[in-house]
Amino acid sequence: MGCPARPERASAMIVRPRPGLLRLFFILRGSVLQRIFPQVVVVLALSGAVVLAHRSDPGRIPSFDGAPFALLGIALSVFLGFSNNACYDRWWEARKAWGQLIAMARDLLRQTLLLEQRGPEAAAGRRRLVDLAIAFPHALVVHLREGAATADLLRVLPAGLSQTPPGVPDRFLPDRILREMGAVLARLRSAGHLSDMEFVMLDGILGRMTEALTTCERIKSTPVPFGYTLLLHRTAYLFCFLLPFGFADVLGWGTPLAAALVAYTFFGLDALGSELEEPFGTLPNDLPIAALATGIEIILREGMGESGLPAAPEPVDFMLL
Amino acid sequence: MGCPARPERASAMIVRPRPGLLRLFFILRGSVLQRIFPQVVVVLALSGAVVLAHRSDPGRIPSFDGAPFALLGIALSVFLGFSNNACYDRWWEARKAWGQLIAMARDLLRQTLLLEQRGPEAAAGRRRLVDLAIAFPHALVVHLREGAATADLLRVLPAGLSQTPPGVPDRFLPDRILREMGAVLARLRSAGHLSDMEFVMLDGILGRMTEALTTCERIKSTPVPFGYTLLLHRTAYLFCFLLPFGFADVLGWGTPLAAALVAYTFFGLDALGSELEEPFGTLPNDLPIAALATGIEIILREGMGESGLPAAPEPVDFMLL
Amino acid sequence: MGCPARPERASAMIVRPRPGLLRLFFILRGSVLQRIFPQVVVVLALSGAVVLAHRSDPGRIPSFDGAPFALLGIALSVFLGFSNNACYDRWWEARKAWGQLIAMARDLLRQTLLLEQRGPEAAAGRRRLVDLAIAFPHALVVHLREGAATADLLRVLPAGLSQTPPGVPDRFLPDRILREMGAVLARLRSAGHLSDMEFVMLDGILGRMTEALTTCERIKSTPVPFGYTLLLHRTAYLFCFLLPFGFADVLGWGTPLAAALVAYTFFGLDALGSELEEPFGTLPNDLPIAALATGIEIILREGMGESGLPAAPEPVDFMLL
Amino acid sequence: MGCPARPERASAMIVRPRPGLLRLFFILRGSVLQRIFPQVVVVLALSGAVVLAHRSDPGRIPSFDGAPFALLGIALSVFLGFSNNACYDRWWEARKAWGQLIAMARDLLRQTLLLEQRGPEAAAGRRRLVDLAIAFPHALVVHLREGAATADLLRVLPAGLSQTPPGVPDRFLPDRILREMGAVLARLRSAGHLSDMEFVMLDGILGRMTEALTTCERIKSTPVPFGYTLLLHRTAYLFCFLLPFGFADVLGWGTPLAAALVAYTFFGLDALGSELEEPFGTLPNDLPIAALATGIEIILREGMGESGLPAAPEPVDFMLL
Amino acid sequence: MGCPARPERASAMIVRPRPGLLRLFFILRGSVLQRIFPQVVVVLALSGAVVLAHRSDPGRIPSFDGAPFALLGIALSVFLGFSNNACYDRWWEARKAWGQLIAMARDLLRQTLLLEQRGPEAAAGRRRLVDLAIAFPHALVVHLREGAATADLLRVLPAGLSQTPPGVPDRFLPDRILREMGAVLARLRSAGHLSDMEFVMLDGILGRMTEALTTCERIKSTPVPFGYTLLLHRTAYLFCFLLPFGFADVLGWGTPLAAALVAYTFFGLDALGSELEEPFGTLPNDLPIAALATGIEIILREGMGESGLPAAPEPVDFMLL
């Protein structure tokens, strides 16, 4: 909301066939190479300078034995491994929460079939529930993704909800949609269209949607502890910048290549971890939550027998937002 | 659906007794050796060339100390270890979702026994539910596996569902089967054949089938982040192609053997991770979902007392589709 | 069922106090040493031959630097670590499924106390449910373990189930026992002995027994992907057979000892992983499912106030089947 | 409660944008560098002394080969990796328990909408439930965090609960709040405002709040086994203090830098693990439970249509308590 | 029960503030150093002897290069890491099961508030349920911990349960307590004090207590596979005893220190894993289940408004049983 400068066409999640061997090295989209390019170039240049200085004046530039580097490098690998694992788990948990929303859309369609047989008021209640369920994931996108487009949300937001000015969805919108769905259920129950057991069953859908909302908020608001991130960053950077001094002796002009390769791997994993840690952004490896929201809308509209469904989101430039 | 060129007889999951020690080295089926053979040969040839050049003209070909390679190799091992773990977890989660479908088939058979004692209409409803439950896993196979055969699905698809032309099952078919099951339950409830508690109990089966469907779609549509895969691929390939330069000095003519062994292990794990990452395909280590669907059908038909059950799927050439 | 040659007295799970330090090296039962003895001896002999040849004619036998071996060895350790972890998780999940059966036996005893107060027909229904619950785990042992003894099953199988010839339990027996339990519940419900809520509560027990059955079948029928196993096997064997060539130079006559120790560790972990992967067999480290089935029977009979309970299974030769 | 000396303004969880490359090395807040600064300086000084002594009198100070250090360092990395993973899991589980409280607040608001339509007594019951739910997380903060401020708790604690003197919340306060909520439900049930199914649904909220309370208590009262912590601490310290002796030979004056870098990484991970292990404190990387409690209060008040919500907690000096 | 020789005052779980840096090295309580002291001394002595022999007669004692040791040591670290992780998970799962008992005590207090408003018979039933719930965790301690004191159990065991001689609690006591609780519920249901829904809700508490009992039994009766433990033990011991031969050459008189440090770490982790594997014992790092049982009793008595609660268990000599 606060950063409209971020381009709306930025996108998330790469969708492409697995490329062949040769092309593998020339893909830029989705690679973190673009983001860590400056750092890798710095390591490359530094390595060249160290080797050059080493050759021209061997005693001037300190050169170290490789053993301590191996030790630190292996320690760093292990810690980066665990850290990436934790970030991947967050990303996957976020995706599971959205999967739960998809399942809830299907459960809602199916469990409210009962209402169709209980008169027009009950059927209208069902329609209202589905309309609100269509709006919920779009509201969640706006809630979770900084600077997300609000066009889709405004297109589907049912009347009778917006007390805040249109175009400025407030931070309680997902809450209010769920509570409005609860109010519809309460009215249907009071009017005798639902037994208490059926009411509890339908409320269970709202409970699990609340759970998904809360999970997404937790992942967004609670990053991996900052001290942890900082320690890994610092160690990775210091390690890669010291690397040339350790390798110059034994590798000679192979040093820049080796150091750049190591830097690419370590900086790359570090950068990927950061992308996965906050899975609701629009970086290439983030989750396509806008596309998922449209997918839920399509499932709900198809289930209500609507024609003229929105087009299924297509990846642009191999990416899905 | 879009790639009929892929042979239908291709199969998934190796089913064979653990082979003896000697035969272990000559098994091709199920091994990833076939898929990574070209790359391993390239490493082998490159190693030979490097050693040859090294011997004939020591100063021409750069040779590096092994220490940086050890460092990178160990880092790569740790990352490949975590990555393979994540892919295995996806594969196992997919298998669990199918296990849930098997359990649901059994629950459906048992929980609908009540209906048999509530008159012919209720018993007919039970039969309809079982028929739809037989169709569901076959529809899910077609939904999840690119180019899957549709013969089994068309054989079991009950009348009254197909609004799309036969032979072209649409992408909402699993949804529609589950909703039709929900409609049967709603009719039974309205007709008084089910108390509200019993209705909720039976709807719970449909809820967990929806969950399994959504889980499978999630695994299929959300691969491991592309940047991650790309980084591991690139590092593994660069590492293996540089290996001969690092080993030629110390290993001499042992270099090709050692480099090929390392390449086999690293390329192999990388390739296996890719196979497990998308567990619904027809590669040798994928899940035999067509066989599982037939297994569910057999459980349901046996439970209804039918004779003439379909044959249990048998592995062909050690593989089960 | 198909391999009666496997001796029935073979057993699973070692039950013994932790031995003292010295005796630790002389225990054979439960150790994988017996299974991997030939391979370790081969490595020992090969090492001796390599050292001998190396000493007598240094130029003839190639000797390699240890660095590539260290690299491959560490990679192999990481992969074996993850693989053993996955196998242990399968084994533990299988044990949890059996634990769920134990909990279900207790829930059944407690939740059916209601029936004792609702007349003789209801009490007879309770007795029938317990008898079937006694038979279920024994049937599951025969279902899961190749060549398991059927004596216990035949002893407890209630009348009115066996349509197949006695002594040849078919593969649907666990299903049929659970369905028969479901039929008892349905009859009790129809006769008014259970409210719908109570019916659903008791059916929940059957649902979780179905879940345990399906989990066990999943673990039995879906081994760790064959390509994975194959790759680890091959790498471990090639690594251990090449080891003497790498160590002969620096270790001299210490080579056989070191190579055998490494081979013992790597072959041993590989072999243990295979044992845990299929936890229902009768190898020393498998689960004692026959003893667990008898334990469930004892819990159920004790809960019904029976005297003359079967003896608790005792480990024979430190092992529990 | 017992340590009022700890400053109340101390805070937890760093909230700041990811800093740029250069600034990364000059951040102190949230870094563990402050806490491990003395130890790192000791290692730095010791390294300098060892190198100096080594240069001036090579035979006096023992110098060791680096190989055993590499071995111990890698072992330590693996163990620290696993240990940090366990601590992170505890921290994340604690955050999940608080997430569950947030979800429960939302469920309570929604599920009690029914009561608004059942007369003033029922509506008053709803208000009482919400007031108690507002007090619960504040009481939990005081329960879990040593020396937490009690102002927020006293502000929101409803009348009719405090039998203990105000300002001295006893250790059963969270229990008593939940039981009082249970008593409100029991009264509503007895007065006929809730069907038994609705009563069970609402009691389920209290059940999951109890679960969250118990989870937090478990994490607080059961640290990672002390022997484990002790072993890792000791090994890490001995390792870092011996490091200079192992590196002085090969690294010369590079030793202090390398040793300090290794010490920073190992001591830092060890210290971070300790911070995460007890996530309810006020160290920089702990959970902002006071802010979370206020967040839950805001959700509940907004849902009741109150104006004049408390201000959302803002990070002070990049930290959120 | 069978080993009264084990002193009753032995205790579990260390409860102490994190000690300062210097004192860290002089703590014995809770350290595994006491248990592995003999082995470490053996390694120390052996190292000294090897170095001495090596110095006096270099050709007599074989000395090996360190590389194979590094390889084996790293492999061992990885395997010990995974193994300790598995043992920690068991320990934590056991603690979670006890946490579930605490939550159940709270749920029981709250959910039975209904009964207080339904006449004296219902209130007496509530009192009986709570008395049985107080006895259950004490019975579980005796059930799980070899040689546990039975005084607490006998103090709280309600009349009408003990058919076995007092002082000799039989192994079905936890089962019988839970069944007796079930019988109380069944009587309350038959007498019309509970609706079927309320009955199912309260029975759910007993179901989860059964689950906790079964989980604890599973952890107690199913250790980590013996072959796995044996392999790790043997490798660790062989490795540490061979270590001096590998280090004597390069480390000289530093060998005993380095070997003892490595042995301390590896033997220590191995010993800690064994302690955590069986978390119900009375070793320093085991779970304080007797204290937890008293804690549950206090929660229940406080909830019933009793005065004269038992004293909260205090750590003796930094340990809590």
Side-chain angles (χ1 to χ4, degrees), chain B residues 13-14 16-19 21 24-33 69-70 73-74 77-78 80-82 84-85 88 91-92 95-96 99-100 102-103 106-107 109-111 113-114 117-118 195-198 201 208 239 243 247 250-251 253-254 257-258 261-262 264-266 268-269 272 276 285 287 298-299 302-303 309 312, chain C residues 39 63-65 67-72 74-76 78-79 82 85-87 90 93 143 170-172 175-176 178-183 185-187 189-190 196-197 199-200 203-204 206-208 210-211 213-214 217-219 221-235 237-239 241-242 270 274 277-278:
Chain B
M13 204 167 100
I14 303 300
R16 66 185 304 166
R18 186 63 58 94
L21 183 51
L24 195 69
F25 291 96
F26 297 101
I27 291 172
L28 287 181
R29 272 281 174 218
S31 166
V32 285
L33 191 51
F69 284 99
I74 293 170
S77 305
V78 174
L80 270 177
F82 276 108
N84 263 293
N85 204 34
Y88 174 77
W91 177 85
W92 196 228
R95 182 60 183 80
K96 277 183 186 164
Q100 199 167 357
I102 297 174
R106 288 168 163 155
D107 281 356
L109 282 173
R110 189 187 67 244
Q111 292 184 347
L113 284 173
L114 270 182
Q117 301 172 359
R118 291 182 185 171
S195 76
D196 62 351
M197 194 61 225
E198 292 161 353
M201 173 184 75
R208 273 166 293 167
F239 176 73
L243 213 54
F247 285 176
V250 290
L251 289 185
W253 283 110
L257 181 64
L261 183 55
V262 171
Y264 167 63
T265 308
F266 282 14
L269 278 168
L272 270 171
L276 297 189
N285 293 298
L287 289 174
I298 293 175
I299 286 173
E302 192 273 342
L309 306 181
Chain C
Q39 290 97 311
S63 90
F64 311 128
D65 184 74
F69 283 99
L71 167 59
L72 198 59
I74 294 170
L76 198 53
V78 174
F79 303 142
F82 276 108
N85 204 34
C87 290
R90 294 166 64 91
E93 189 184 7
H143 188 59
D170 65 8
R171 75 185 181 90
F172 289 108
D175 276 291
R176 279 162 54 209
L178 288 174
R179 277 209 310 277
E180 174 63 19
M181 290 178 83
L185 287 186
R187 280 196 298 272
R189 169 83 179 112
S190 295
D196 62 352
M197 194 61 224
F199 171 79
V200 167
D203 185 81
L206 304 185
R208 274 167 293 167
T210 299
E211 204 176 275
L213 160 64
T214 310
E217 285 179 344
R218 166 164 53 80
I219 290 170
S221 73
T222 314
V224 167
F226 185 67
Y228 207 60
T229 309
L230 198 58
L231 186 72
L232 279 182
H233 265 295
R234 281 179 180 170
T235 308
Y237 277 92
L238 281 174
F239 176 73
F241 290 150
L242 287 175
D270 189 59
S274 303
E277 183 190 348
E278 296 169 10

Side-chain angles (χ1 to χ4, degrees), chain D residues 64 75 79 175 179 189-190 196-197 203 210 214 217-218 221-223 227 231 233-234 237 274 277, chain E residues 13 18 21 24 27 30-31 77 91-92 95 99 106 110-111 117 195 197-198 251 261 264 269 285 302:
Chain D
F64 310 128
F79 303 142
D175 276 291
R179 276 210 309 276
R189 169 84 179 108
S190 295
D196 62 352
M197 194 62 225
D203 185 81
T210 299
T214 310
E217 287 180 345
R218 165 164 52 82
S221 73
T222 313
L231 185 72
H233 266 297
R234 282 179 179 169
Y237 277 92
S274 303
E277 184 190 349
Chain E
M13 203 167 100
R18 183 67 55 98
L21 183 51
L24 194 69
I27 291 172
S31 167
S77 305
W91 177 86
W92 197 228
R95 180 61 184 81
R106 288 166 163 156
R110 188 187 68 245
Q111 291 184 349
Q117 302 172 357
S195 76
M197 194 61 224
E198 292 161 352
L251 288 184
L261 183 54
Y264 168 63
L269 279 167
N285 293 298
E302 192 274 340

